[in-house]
């Protein structure tokens, strides 16, 4: 059986290299160079898939990426089985496994085909009109059934083990498509000295030249000319060539995206090679040489396996050496199909008849075919194709004057080839925002004026004569190179071309037919099972815009995105609406040109490379101490340091008590740091922050609070004055970049009068916080003689010095409420300083602590965390920081907004503390507060809990909350409504510990 | 992805930049003297034009400088980029037509 | 209006479906005058016309659409419908809409395929957890369903979800609104159009408003269009990304910026994804359509643009995030992508309100979240137009809130993209 449809001496497959693969479990032999479709066709198999809606048996109609029917799954296993691949593009290799899709239990017998019997009840949009009763049946009953029958292949269920790459590049001239015009354009541009990239979606350069046996270029077979040209291009250092690479997206400013498939055609790929690579190319000039796609004809049974495009049969014959049948009928409206007839006959295929819809076709080819004695019926049509899983005959009938169709005659055949003419591929041109223009002569749309640095060449702009196409490619390539700035002397070749296969003619819409055809299924969009009737129904129901027709019928919305169907849908809509096509227009061409793997877009951004992973210099130390980490913006921060047997609560309680009783060490490196320098530094700070800075002495620190212009708190942090003209500003971890941006914005665009420089020093300084009553005892011996006594270095001061010879900025600040220091040292030296402090702290039982303990300690003191207590709707006063706002400054960012009456409303949410009635009850963060425990839903909420912890120091729980008019509610009992109970809480001051600050000033 | 000409660094890909909204909206010299309505006009109300817009960009992953640009929001084609502080340049009818194309 | 049902479908099938009538009257030329003109024939505008006719008895209405009906953001969104917003103002607005969604197919006799598949919002950081729990509790007290799930429970609800602790941003849990879902976007607009048209509303496509006419007292008198002058007592603008352009014709500046927003679908596959998952932290939004396509929302570009397209790096980032959360989808393929124009306000909440010009109303600023509000916004906009005053639910959603400093800032409150 196998190879029985191979034609000896034809095709470019390597018959010395058999390749064995399986399709639906059946082991099949093909040859190196075959696609899955060609190898199956070589065994006489046309049935390769089932359609989306009616589950009709389908075979390939095309030989390329425009294929709507032969959609298969490739690979095996939960991770690797890849759905919805196009059999005409899948290259076979030894061991490839492929499965048909959307059928149960098997391709030959599919229960889903019952839909086909019910098709009269399932016209376009049937689902809008039904399934509404009873109401809850939609989600529970109808929708699950619809979903199960919809969909094509099965998505993988296990993670994809392959890897993908993503790359940016530049070139002078990018050529999309390596058919005759693309090759000619690339050659011309390259000879002019341009950096050229040329890509083609197939495995081999050459396009139509790979299956054109009739034409000659410089006396060479076209395939030989391709080889000569490709060799010439390869030898040029300024040319990059990409096979299996689809130019799929044409973005703004000549940014073009390519998808290169690297390994899918290989049985045993090198694991180091990515499966696919996505290129983003900024091209000075783009040449679109995307070719043209043959149009199917729309008649009853045009979807039966064995019905295919004439050009597809020619491709399978001449490129793959496969005859798609033994006895063919050809239905055409175009001259080029006559060339197919001649090639088929030469290969031993019987051509039973050619039917031409045109009254008087005439061409050199027509005459050759007549001379060969083939029956040609002109002014005739296909009434119907017969057969189920394979066509066995076709009824051809004359078109009568007036448009009716007369009695026809059946012709036995196993292959029906159709050609409705050629549709230029305008996808990339249209994506570039160029406007397409209807061409009445060719009865199709062509590229209009370019919107970007782009040119179309060859058949994608309606040129079908090979001689013209090649000449056009040379001309366009030359122009593109010139416009890219490469105007070297070009010695352009002059090719002598002979050809006869010129595509002239064409037909759009549904073929005329006898009778009303109310039950006839004539397909426009094969995969989505959209028939001519469906399009007419949409028009009947008032859908007049082509976009509406597309959406109502789903024509053009299948995986092939309407490559073969859009123009026919337009033709049918045009006659149904009684309006010329050019008044209707095309639907938008949407990227990608053909489907592109998600993995290719994500590229290397997976796992830990998904986002930058920022780690502090102390991170290795924390890991050896068994720290548990949390993500804070891009940083990984140690959250707590559990000892054996401890959970988070136990670890945090221990860490908290250690800081309060003795000393703890904390990595605060992630804080943002900005150096604000210049003669106007203080004035700049005055304008940016709500605080006043002029009087802050050198060596002193102040808590700084920053609003946005809308008056809401944006960021906070301690600021130290290092010199009269120099501030060391700290920001929150997450806010670092935003604060610098905002500062730069004002400085560069609003306050150009200020002489100030801003430098991010976040990466330069690592910060080691040493907090607790013993902090000074630990540090004093290490700081190279610096006097850090309370007297010379009181709370909120900063000094520059060294620690073990390493430069240091030492801040006496506290976010814990204890005596505390923050040691700022160069990041590169931080770990060694940390370890030195750690050693010195051992006699004091110094304890490392993480962000969770830091949170508890600061909450005990009522210190806010921007982003936790505040949320972008809180003013400084709301957050209990009204004291920080300068009353004297004439202006600062946010001041005008803070003066709005709404900002003064006494009912605004204000920061308070909460005690639960039960001391051990720890509230959930985010719970809401109500004043009246007897309320029913919907309740009148008056606040919410922002922070809540068990305080080991106080031996009870504490919480911070934002409460409407909260400061006036001290002592009131409020309630936290949980699902099953009310938790009473008492409003209190947010400062739970050491309210007078005695422990800070020691 | 847009190609943007930073006046200081030259043409770079859009991913290096961040957009800063409409340009030439100067912060009032004395905000406190403004009515709430005037303040809202400055802070929130925008032309949001369909056509030529003067807008701010910052070469965030480059020189970190702000600059202004004139761009047609119907095509995303830039007419010109210029330094902060310069007045909005006049756009010739030819430039406007080219940007709108 | 002929009722749609399985029976009517079967009857029509016997006649080869030749007996169907247009679903709405397409009016080529507008009348000289209407009581109310609605500018913008998307879901919001058509719905407003429907509710004006249905609930307020006003039928002398024209909906004027620049292009094809519902060709703007109605056609370009990812169809997510939910109401689990934080602030009372927003949650009551979206809940009002959600309730209308729940009966919309029956109300319109048009299956809008509202599928209450639930919406999981995934938390990746301690901060996310705090924020989402705040939402859960606030919603619960408002009578809006929203619950907290552990990572394991989230995976049980959505089996493809990757809850491995070894990814860059591990899933710490999720909030789930079970009543949330998706709907068939085109059907909503067509259903409103059909029902409104049936009650006498004129729907005029391919007609661009080029000016807003006002009388000596400053009040609106009608609009100039590419099909001539049309007079009206009231003009209501529901033009999404083009709102600034239309309102500028009446001298009104809006607090809006129009940004590109992109979305995409995969090829159709058999049911593989049972719900909606949103991750605001890593910017991934995904559900599976009835057809089997994975519907994925990408981010907005930051600049003003009316081109309906953005940079490819935006969907690329989104797909990287999707592949992290659902690593089995890495081999799926993008089939189609598109862009829309979102109209964003500074507080990311909408405006449904009267304007300073008498007789001129605006419903805009829906940003990336307008689809879910379609029936609700239409309903409240109709109320506002008919009564010349807002309904209590949309009363806070004025233009003046920016002047007064009473924003409804869901984004700032929650770092939640809509």
């Amino acid at each position: 059986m196998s190879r029985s449809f191979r034609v000896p001496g034809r095709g470019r497959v390597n018959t010395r290299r058999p390749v064995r693969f399986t399709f639906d479990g059946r082991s099949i032999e093909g040859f190196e160079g075959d696609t899955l479709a060609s190898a199956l066709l070589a065994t006489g198999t046309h049935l390769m898939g089932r359609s989306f809606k009616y589950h009709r048996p389908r075979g390939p109609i095309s030989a390329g990426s425009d294929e709507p029917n032969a959609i298969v799954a490739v690979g095996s296993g939960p991770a690797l089985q890849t759905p919805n691949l196009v059999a005409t593009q899948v290259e076979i290799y030894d061991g490839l496994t492929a499965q048909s899709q959307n059928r149960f239990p098997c391709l030959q017998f599919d229960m889903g085909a019952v839909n086909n019997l019910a098709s009269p009840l399932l016209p376009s949009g049937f689902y809008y009109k039904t399934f509404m009763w009873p109401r809850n049946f939609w989600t529970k009953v109808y929708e699950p059934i619809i979903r199960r029958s919809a969909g094509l292949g099965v998505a993988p269920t296990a993670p994809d083990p392959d890897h993908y790459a993503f790359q940016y590049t530049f070139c002078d001239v990018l050529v999309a498509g390596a058919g005759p015009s693309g090759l000619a354009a690339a050659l011309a541009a390259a000879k002019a000295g341009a950096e050229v990239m040329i890509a083609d979606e197939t495995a081999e350069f050459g396009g139509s030249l790979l299956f054109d046996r009739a034409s000659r270029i410089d006396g060479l077979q076209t395939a030989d000319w391709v080889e000569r040209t490709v060799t010439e291009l390869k030898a040029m250092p300024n040319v990059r060539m990409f096979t299996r690479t689809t130019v799929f997206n044409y973005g703004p400013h000549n940014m073009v995206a390519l998808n290169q498939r690297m390994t899918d055609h290989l049985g045993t790929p090198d694991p180091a090679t990515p499966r696919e690579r996505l290129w983003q190319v900024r091209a000075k000039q783009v040449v679109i040489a995307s070719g043209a796609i043959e149009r199917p004809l729309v008649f009853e049974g045009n979807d039966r396996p064995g019905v295919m495009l004439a050009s597809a049969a020619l491709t399978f014959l001449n490129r793959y050496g496969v005859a798609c049948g033994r006895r063919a009928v050809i239905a055409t409206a175009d001259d080029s199909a006559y060339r197919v007839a001649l090639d088929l006959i030469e290969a031993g295929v019987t051509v039973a008849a050619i039917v031409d819809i045109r009254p008087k076709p005439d061409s050199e080819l027509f005459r050759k075919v007549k001379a060969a004695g083939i029956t040609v019926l002109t002014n005739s049509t296909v009434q119907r194709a017969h057969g189920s899983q394979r066509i066995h005959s076709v009824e051809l009938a004359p078109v009568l004057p007036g448009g009716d169709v007369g009695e026809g005659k059946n012709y036995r055949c196993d292959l029906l080839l159709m050609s409705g003419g050629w549709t230029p591929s305008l996808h990339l041109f249209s994506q570039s925002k160029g406007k397409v223009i209807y061409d009445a002569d060719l009865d199709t749309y062509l590229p209009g004026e370019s919107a970007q640095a782009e040119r179309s060449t060859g058949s994608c702009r309606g040129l079908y004569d090979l001689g013209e196409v090649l000449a056009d490619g040379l001309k366009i390539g030359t122009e593109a190179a010139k416009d890219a700035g490469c105007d070297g002397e070009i010695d352009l070749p002059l090719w002598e071309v002979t050809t006869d296969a010129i595509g002239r003619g064409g037909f759009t819409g549904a073929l005329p037919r006898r009778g009303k055809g109310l039950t006839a299924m004539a397909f426009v969009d094969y995969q989505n099972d959209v028939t001519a009737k469906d399009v007419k129904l949409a028009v009947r129901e008032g859908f007049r815009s082509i976009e509406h027709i597309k959406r109502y019928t789903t024509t053009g919305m299948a995986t092939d995105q309407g490559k073969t169907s859009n123009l026919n849908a337009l033709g049918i809509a045009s006659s149904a609406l009684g309006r010329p096509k050019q008044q209707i227009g095309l639907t938008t061409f949407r990227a990608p040109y053909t489907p592109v793997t998600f993995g290719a877009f994500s590229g290397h951004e997976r796992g830990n490379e998904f986002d930058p992973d920022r780690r502090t210099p102390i991170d290795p130390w924390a890991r050896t101490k068994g720290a548990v980490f949390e993500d804070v913006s891009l940083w990984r921060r140690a959250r707590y340091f559990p000892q054996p047997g401890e959970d988070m609560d136990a670890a945090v309680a221990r860490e908290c008590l250690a800081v309060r009783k003795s000393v703890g060490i904390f990595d605060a490196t992630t804080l943002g740091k900005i150096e604000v320098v210049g003669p106007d530094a203080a004035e700049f700070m005055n304008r940016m922050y709500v605080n006043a800075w002029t009087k802050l002495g050198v060596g002193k620190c102040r808590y700084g609070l920053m609003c946005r212009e809308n008056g809401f708190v944006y960021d906070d942090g301690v600021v130290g004055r290092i010199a009269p003209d120099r501030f060391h500003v700290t920001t929150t971890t997450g806010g670092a970049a935003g604060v610098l941006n905002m500062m730069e914005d004002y400085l560069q665009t609003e306050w150009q009068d200020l002489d100030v420089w801003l430098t991010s020093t976040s990466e330069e300084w690592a910060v080691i916080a040493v907090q607790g009553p013993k902090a000074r005892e630990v540090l004093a011996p290490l700081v190279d003689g610096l006097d850090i006594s309370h007297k010379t270095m009181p709370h909120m001061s900063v000094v520059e010095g060294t620690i073990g010879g390493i430069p240091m900025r030492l801040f006496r600040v506290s976010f814990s409420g204890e005596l505390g220091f923050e040691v700022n040292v160069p990041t590169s030296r931080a770990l060694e300083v940390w370890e030195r402090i750690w050693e010195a702290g051992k006699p004091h039982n110094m304890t490392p602590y993480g962000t969770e303990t830091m949170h508890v300690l600061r909450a005990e003191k009522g210190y806010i965390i921007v982003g936790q207590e505040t949320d972008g709707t809180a003013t400084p006063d709301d957050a209990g920081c009204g004291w920080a706002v300068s009353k004297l400054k004439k202006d600062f960012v946010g001041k005008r907004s803070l003066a709005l009456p709404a900002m003064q409303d006494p009912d605004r949410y204000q920061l308070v503390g909460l005690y639960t009635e039960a001391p051990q009850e720890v509230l959930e963060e985010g719970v809401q507060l109500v004043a009246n425990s007897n309320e029913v839903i919907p309740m009148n909420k008056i606040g919410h809990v922002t922070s809540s912890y068990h305080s080991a120091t106080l031996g009870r729980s504490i919480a911070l909350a934002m409460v409407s008019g909260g400061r006036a509610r001290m002592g009131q009992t409020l309630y936290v409504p949980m699902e099953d109970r009310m938790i009473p809480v008492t409003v209190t001051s947010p400062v739970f510990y050491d309210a007078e600050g005695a422990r800070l000033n020691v | 992805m847009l190609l943007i000409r930073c006046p200081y660094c030259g043409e770079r890909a859009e991913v290096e930049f961040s957009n800063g909204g409409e340009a030439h909206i100067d912060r009032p010299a004395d905000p406190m003297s403004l009515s709430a309505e005037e303040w809202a006009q400055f802070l929130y109300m925008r032309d949001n034009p369909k056509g030529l817009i003067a807008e701010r960009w910052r070469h965030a992953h480059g020189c970190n400088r702000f600059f202004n640009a004139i761009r047609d929001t119907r095509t995303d084609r830039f007419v010109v980029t210029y330094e902060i502080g310069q007045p909005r340049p006049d756009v010739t009818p030819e430039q406007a037509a080219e940007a709108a194309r | 209006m002929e009722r749609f049902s399985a029976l009517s479908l079967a009857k029509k099938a016997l006649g080869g479906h030749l007996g169907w009538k247009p679903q709405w009257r397409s009016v080529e030329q507008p009348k000289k005058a209407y009581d109310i003109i609605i500018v913008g024939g998307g879901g919001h505008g058509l719905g407003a016309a429907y509710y004006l006719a249905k609930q307020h008895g006003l039928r002398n209405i024209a909906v004027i659409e620049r292009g094809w009906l519902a060709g703007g953001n109605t056609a370009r969104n990812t169809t997510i419908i939910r109401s689990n917003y934080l602030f009372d103002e927003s949650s009551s607005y979206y809940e009002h809409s959600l309730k209308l969604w729940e009966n919309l197919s029956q109300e319109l006799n048009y299956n809008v395929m509202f599928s209450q598949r639930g919406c999981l919002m995934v938390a990746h950081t301690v901060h996310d957890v705090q924020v989402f729990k705040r939402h859960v509790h606030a919603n619960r007290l408002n009578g809006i369903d929203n619950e907290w799930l552990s990572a394991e429970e989230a995976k049980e609800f959505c089996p493809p979800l990757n809850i491995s602790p070894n990814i860059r941003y591990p899933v710490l849990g999720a909030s789930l609104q079970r009543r949330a879902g998706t709907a068939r976007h085109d059907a909503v607009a067509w259903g409103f159009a059909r029902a409104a048209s049936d009650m006498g509303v004129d729907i005029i496509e391919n007609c661009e408003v080029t000016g807003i006419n006002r009388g000596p007292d400053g009040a609106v008198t009608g609009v100039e269009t590419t099909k001539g002058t049309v007079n009206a007592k009231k003009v209501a603008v529901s033009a999404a990304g083009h709102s600034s352009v239309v309102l500028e014709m009446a001298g009104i500046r809006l607090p809006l910026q129009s940004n590109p927003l992109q979305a995409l679908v995969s090829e159709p596959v058999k049911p593989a994804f049972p719900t909606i998952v949103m991750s605001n932290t890593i910017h991934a939004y995904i559900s599976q359509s009835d057809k089997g396509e994975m519907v994925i929302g990408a981010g907005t570009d930051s600049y003003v643009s009316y081109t309906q397209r953005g940079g490819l790096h935006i969907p690329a980032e989104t797909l990287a995030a999707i592949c992290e959360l659902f690593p089995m989808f890495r081999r799926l393929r993008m089939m189609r992508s598109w862009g829309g124009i979102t109209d964003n306000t500074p507080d990311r909440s909408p405006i449904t309100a009267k304007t300073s010009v008498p007789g001129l109303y605006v419903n805009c600023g829906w940003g990336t979240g307008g689809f879910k509000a379609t029936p609700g916004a239409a309903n409240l906009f109709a109320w506002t137009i008919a009564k010349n005053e807002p309904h209590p639910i949309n009363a806070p959603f004025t233009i003046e809130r920016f002047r007064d400093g009473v924003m409804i800032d869901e984004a700032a409150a929650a770092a939640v993209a809509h």
Side-chain angles (χ1 to χ4, degrees), chain A residues 118-161:
Chain A
S119 64
L121 292 172
L122 310 175
S124 281
F126 73 96
Y127 30 72
Y128 299 129
K129 296 170 177 163
T130 50
F131 307 125
M132 287 177 277
W133 185 88
R135 202 185 82 165
N136 60 358
F137 266 41
W138 172 251
T139 311
K140 288 186 181 142
V141 181
Y142 303 131
E143 192 188 34
I145 295 172
I146 288 177
R147 281 177 177 265
R148 271 198 299 276
S149 55
L152 282 172
V154 176
T157 53
D160 183 356

Side-chain angles (χ1 to χ4, degrees), chain A residues 282 450-451 709 741 748, chain B residues 1 27 58 66 77 101:
Chain A
R282 183 81 69 182
S450 292
E709 206 69 92
N741 289 350
Q748 291 186 35
Chain B
M1 187 188 297
R27 189 173 187 274
R58 186 169 67 93
F66 279 83
R77 204 171 264 121
R101 192 168 61 83

Side-chain angles (χ1 to χ4, degrees), chain A residues 15 120 256-257 398 435 486 510 827 903 998:
Chain A
T15 51
V256 181
K435 293 263 186 302
C486 311
T827 302
M903 300 298 204

Side-chain angles (χ1 to χ4, degrees), chain A residues 53 124-125 127 298 522-532 534-536 538 545-573 586-588, chain C residues 184 291 336:
Chain A
K53 184 169 162 188
S124 281
Y127 30 72
V298 180
F523 288 88
V524 179
D525 184 311
Y526 285 86
Q527 190 182 117
N528 272 354
D529 282 327
V530 180
T531 64
D534 288 321
V535 176
K536 289 181 201 156
S545 153
I546 194 70
E547 290 283 357
H548 282 155
I549 293 166
K550 163 183 159 183
R551 285 155 184 276
Y552 194 66
T553 63
T554 74
T555 189
M557 299 183 80
T559 58
D560 58 303
Q561 292 288 288
K563 291 187 179 62
T564 52
S565 63
N566 282 348
L567 230 59
N568 281 332
L570 175 63
I572 296 165
L586 292 172
T587 55
T588 311
Chain C
R184 177 86 189 102
K291 251 191 103 181
R336 185 168 65 241

Side-chain angles (χ1 to χ4, degrees), chain A residues 206-343:
Chain A
S208 60
L209 299 178
L210 298 176
F211 53 86
D212 178 353
R213 278 171 55 89
S215 307
R216 297 286 181 277
I217 308 170
D218 283 356
L220 293 173
Q221 290 257 14
T222 54
D224 295 335
W225 179 88
V226 169
E227 196 180 326
R228 188 182 80 183
T229 307
V230 167
T231 307
E232 190 176 356
L233 285 168
K234 271 186 183 157
M236 301 171 84
N238 53 333
V239 179
R240 283 184 281 173
M241 303 168 78
F242 300 84
T243 55
R244 300 183 180 90
T245 303
T246 307
V247 182
F248 70 90
N249 179 300
Y250 198 135
H253 299 183
N254 261 27
M255 193 73 162
V256 181
L258 282 60
N259 178 230
Q260 184 179 18
R261 294 169 295 281
M262 316 274 290
T263 63
D264 266 10
H265 60 291
L266 302 171
T268 47
D270 177 353
T273 306
R275 179 173 175 236
E276 296 181 13
R277 177 175 285 134
L278 194 137
W279 295 87
Q280 285 231 68
V281 183
R282 183 81 69 182
K284 283 187 191 156
Q285 296 287 321
V286 172
V287 173
I288 299 175
S290 50
I293 290 171
E294 200 170 18
R295 272 196 304 284
L297 294 168
V298 180
F299 55 88
E300 184 177 357
N302 65 343
D303 66 322
R304 295 303 183 188
V307 179
M308 63 197 328
L309 293 168
S311 61
L314 188 69
T315 308
F316 286 119
L317 180 63
N318 290 340
R319 183 163 176 181
Y320 301 101
V322 175
C324 293
R326 307 227 188 269
R327 188 178 168 84
V329 168
I330 298 175
T332 187
D334 178 270
D335 294 342
S336 59
Y338 289 84
R339 167 43 60 193
V340 180
L342 293 172
D343 275 38

